[in-house]
C-alpha cells in the first residue's frame, strides 16, 4: 500500500490529529487524555499520514528541541511501510530545520531496540503517564525507522 505524508498545521488539522491520537493512545493504550495533548502541540511540526484513499491513518510530530513524538498509526495500517513513510518524513523535516540530532522518549522495554538502531541514552530514566521512559538520541542523518512503532 502507498502512504502519503504531509506536513500539517495544528491549528487547521487538530481535529484529525486528535482523533488519531485519542484512538491509539487514549482508547487503545489507556493513557490519560490530559497527558496526551500538551503545550508542544501548538509549536511542533505535525505530519498526517493518509492511505491510498486519502483517509487519515497516522500522525507524528517533531518538537522544537528535535524530539520525535506522538507517533500513532491506527491498528489496521500498522506495518513497516507506514512507519517508514512517517519517520522518513519527520527525519527530512529535522534535517531541513538544521538539527544534528533527534530524540525519542521510549519505554524501557524498547531501549535495547533503539540502542541497536544507533540511538544512545540521554539522561536518567523518568516517568511520564505512569510509565518509566528513557530519552534517546540519534544523529538525524543516521536515523533508522526500524525500531519505531507507536511512540508517545
Amino acid at each position: 500500500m502507498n502512504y502519503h505524508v504531509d506536513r500539517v498545521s495544528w491549528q487547521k488539522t487538530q481535529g484529525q490529529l486528535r482523533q488519531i491520537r485519542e484512538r491509539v493512545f487514549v482508547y487503545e493504550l489507556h493513557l490519560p487524555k490530559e497527558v496526551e495533548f500538551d503545550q508542544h502541540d501548538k509549536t511542533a511540526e505535525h505530519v498526517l499520514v493518509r492511505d491510498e484513499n486519502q483517509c487519515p491513518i497516522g500522525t507524528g510530530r517533531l518538537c522544537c528541541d528535535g524530539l520525535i513524538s506522538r507517533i500513532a498509526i491506527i491498528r489496521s495500517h500498522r506495518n513497516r511501510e507506514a512507519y517508514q513513510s512517517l519517520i522518513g518524513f519527520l527525519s527530512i523535516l529535522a534535517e531541513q530545520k538544521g538539527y544534528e540530532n533527534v530524540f525519542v522518549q521510549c519505554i524501557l522495554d524498547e531501549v535495547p531496540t533503539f540502542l541497536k538502531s544507533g540511538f544512545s541514552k540521554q539522561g536518567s530514566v523518568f516517568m511520564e503517564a505512569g510509565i518509566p521512559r528513557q530519552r534517546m538520541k540519534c544523529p538525524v542523518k543516521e536515523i533508522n525507522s526500524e525500531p519505531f512503532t507507536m511512540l508517545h
Side-chain angles (χ1 to χ4, degrees):
M1 179 172 288
N2 291 323
Y3 294 99
H4 183 75
V5 185
D6 287 306
R7 182 184 203 173
V8 295
S9 159
W10 175 256
Q11 290 73 21
K12 292 180 182 177
T13 58
Q14 69 175 292
Q16 291 176 317
L17 301 175
R18 281 180 177 274
Q19 185 178 33
I20 293 166
R21 285 169 48 185
E22 281 182 12
R23 185 172 171 180
V24 172
F25 294 122
V26 177
Y27 299 118
E28 188 177 332
L29 297 179
H30 308 291
L31 294 176
K33 191 172 185 175
E34 60 272 10
V35 173
E36 176 52 33
F37 303 100
D38 61 19
Q39 73 278 5
H40 299 293
D41 282 322
K42 292 179 182 169
T43 58
E45 297 283 352
H46 293 270
V47 298
L48 184 63
V49 183
R50 293 183 177 92
D51 66 13
E52 54 197 14
N53 297 318
Q54 295 304 307
C55 295
I57 60 95
T59 186
R61 71 182 186 187
L62 176 66
C63 296
C64 298
D65 63 353
L67 176 68
I68 292 176
S69 62
R70 302 314 196 256
I71 302 298
I73 295 179
I74 61 171
R75 185 183 302 268
S76 60
H77 288 274
R78 285 187 199 141
N79 59 60
R80 188 54 34 213
E81 186 179 350
Y83 284 109
Q84 285 173 340
S85 298
L86 177 55
I87 299 305
F89 197 93
L90 287 171
S91 65
I92 290 169
L93 281 179
E95 278 191 80
Q96 290 172 348
K97 291 182 136 319
Y99 297 153
E100 289 184 29
N101 298 295
V102 291
F103 303 89
V104 298
Q105 298 177 162
C106 66
I107 62 173
L108 293 186
D109 290 347
E110 295 175 339
V111 168
T113 304
F114 277 92
L115 288 171
K116 288 179 193 171
S117 294
F119 283 78
S120 60
K121 293 180 184 180
Q122 295 290 294
S124 301
V125 172
F126 65 96
M127 297 293 284
E128 182 188 42
I131 301 167
R133 298 179 186 273
Q134 174 70 56
R135 185 172 173 95
M136 307 288 287
K137 171 179 134 178
C138 180
V140 72
K141 294 186 184 293
E142 297 174 23
I143 195 165
N144 174 354
S145 66
E146 285 302 313
F148 286 89
T149 57
M150 292 177 291
L151 185 66
H152 195 251

